[in-house]
Amino acid sequence: MERAASIDLKNWIARPQTQTVMDALERGGKSARFVGGCVRDALLGLNVKDVDIATPETPERVIELIEEADLRAIPTGIDHGTVTAICDGIPFEITTLRRDIETYGRRARVSFTEDWAEDAARRDLTLNALYCDRLGKVYDPIGGLEDLKAGRIRFVGDARARIEEDILRLLRFFRFFAFYGSAPADVEALNACRDMAPQLNQLSVERVWKELSRLLLAPDPTQAFSLMSSYGILAHILPEANRSKDLHHLVQIESDLKVQPSYLRRLASIVDLDANGANALASRFKFSNAERDEFSELCNPPDWPDPQADRKRNRLALYRLKPELFIELVLLGATRSPALDWPGLLSFPEDNALPAFSITGQDVIDGGVPTGSDVGNILTQVENWWIESDFTADRDSCLAYLSELITARS
Ligand code: ATP
Ligand code: MG
């Protein structure tokens, strides 16, 4: 195995917790190496999130070694060789070098090995089969480094066979393409994905949504979505996405206006759903209540900002939408009709702090209307009158109008 590159030691590798876990593991006499996302991202100069470690030690021995160092060991996926070590609250996933003997669905019967090349061969994509030791030396058993530099997202070995073993890899391919790939995408992989797409129904919806939501948060997922659409992948997992081309505009707008990407906004930009449709999608992907509410408001808002309308009209929209949703809709509106001056409305909520409506049901009751009967209706009439005043009528004026209404009833 050639030394192909090296990684700066002043970062996550040098962190005391990383060193403690590596010390513990290597006390068994065998060298461990970092693998996967941490090596890939470090080589690209990106922030490293989770540290995954590969070791020739068996999982049982890994647990012993970790516990002997007074660290906590959790047998996260002990059957396929994964143990999580916790050091100062930071988790490290440690996986024994392995070969997949037999795969069924998403599961595999594995055999442990001490051969790094065998371990590399069972990984999904070449850019994810890079290792480095604690000195920062990079090991590249299958040419992942070249691919990483060139933005080539390629399966390790035969694309079709690798997806057949584990259908999740199909979605991972598009996610990694969105984050690290450059066009053109690997045709062998795309064709294999198209042929295998009907098998995506083997995945749990939670899995699908987890991958999709991560893919949606790529700096620019447009190309990945457009390929997923033309290769018939979206039809199996997100048939509602009938305007994926809009994603491109939204990404551009987010970047121009320096707005953080949001997976729900991006999802809403590529579908066209009424209230039932939005709810059905939220149920299918098991959204949390907060996600469901936000998504359904994005798809079916109670009002819309309007770049062609006057200030008073937009203040009414702001009142109905509240600032956060108002801004979200400005972004979605700009995506759908880019010729209008949507960005001009972006600071509208900040420049138009609206007062709260000061009349309550109790005021109506105090005015002599029996509890329950018309209290709600009357309150709404006063509120509409107050809105019509462009929110300028104060509490006393509202109370005077309320009293007029009550008098007119009797
Ligand atoms: P990130 O954590 O940023 O999503 P990652 O590459 O670290 O990226 P993980 O899901 O943490 O991804 O997996 C760690 C490594 O395990 C991967 O880099 C890859 O080598 C391997 N791996 C993960 N999932 C699969 C899979 N379904 N098939 C084959 N290898 C996989
Ligand atoms: Mg990882």
Side-chain angles (χ1 to χ4, degrees), residues 356-376:
F357 183 45
S358 61
I359 308 298
T360 64
Q362 191 58 50
D363 292 319
V364 183
I365 294 163
D366 292 349
V369 178
T371 316
S373 60
D374 268 348
V375 174

Side-chain angles (χ1 to χ4, degrees), residues 303-318 326 345 348 352 387-388 390-391:
D303 201 346
W304 269 94
D306 181 351
Q308 292 173 302
D310 63 10
R311 184 165 168 275
K312 185 174 170 189
R313 174 67 192 85
N314 278 308
R315 279 162 66 87
L316 169 60
L318 175 60
F326 186 98
L345 284 177
F348 192 86
N352 287 273
I387 292 170
E388 191 45 42
D390 196 15
F391 310 96

Side-chain angles (χ1 to χ4, degrees), residues 37-38 50 52:
C38 54
D50 315 313
D52 297 325

Side-chain angles (χ1 to χ4, degrees), residues 35-38 40-41 49-50 52 93 98 100 106 122-125 127-129 162 166 168-169 172 175-176 180 214:
V35 66
C38 54
R40 180 194 68 222
D41 290 348
K49 290 158 283 170
D50 315 313
D52 297 325
E93 265 202 5
R98 69 175 213 227
D100 294 349
R106 284 232 54 230
R122 66 93 183 163
R123 294 183 182 268
D124 55 354
L125 303 164
L127 80 167
N128 287 342
R162 303 315 310 284
D166 178 359
L168 180 66
R169 292 175 188 154
R172 286 176 61 92
R175 168 155 68 90
F176 286 101
Y180 307 98
R214 293 184 74 178

Side-chain angles (χ1 to χ4, degrees), residues 52-63:
D52 297 325
I53 300 170
T55 172
E57 301 284 6
T58 63
E60 291 73 22
R61 185 75 182 121
V62 169
I63 293 183

Side-chain angles (χ1 to χ4, degrees), residues 374-390:
D374 268 348
V375 174
N377 280 338
I378 295 175
L379 193 61
T380 306
Q381 282 181 60
V382 182
E383 189 180 18
N384 286 339
W385 178 84
W386 170 72
I387 292 170
E388 191 45 42
S389 80
D390 196 15

Side-chain angles (χ1 to χ4, degrees), residues 44 134 187 192 266 321 367 389:
L44 291 174
R134 46 197 309 198
V187 174
R266 287 184 170 184
L321 296 168
S389 80

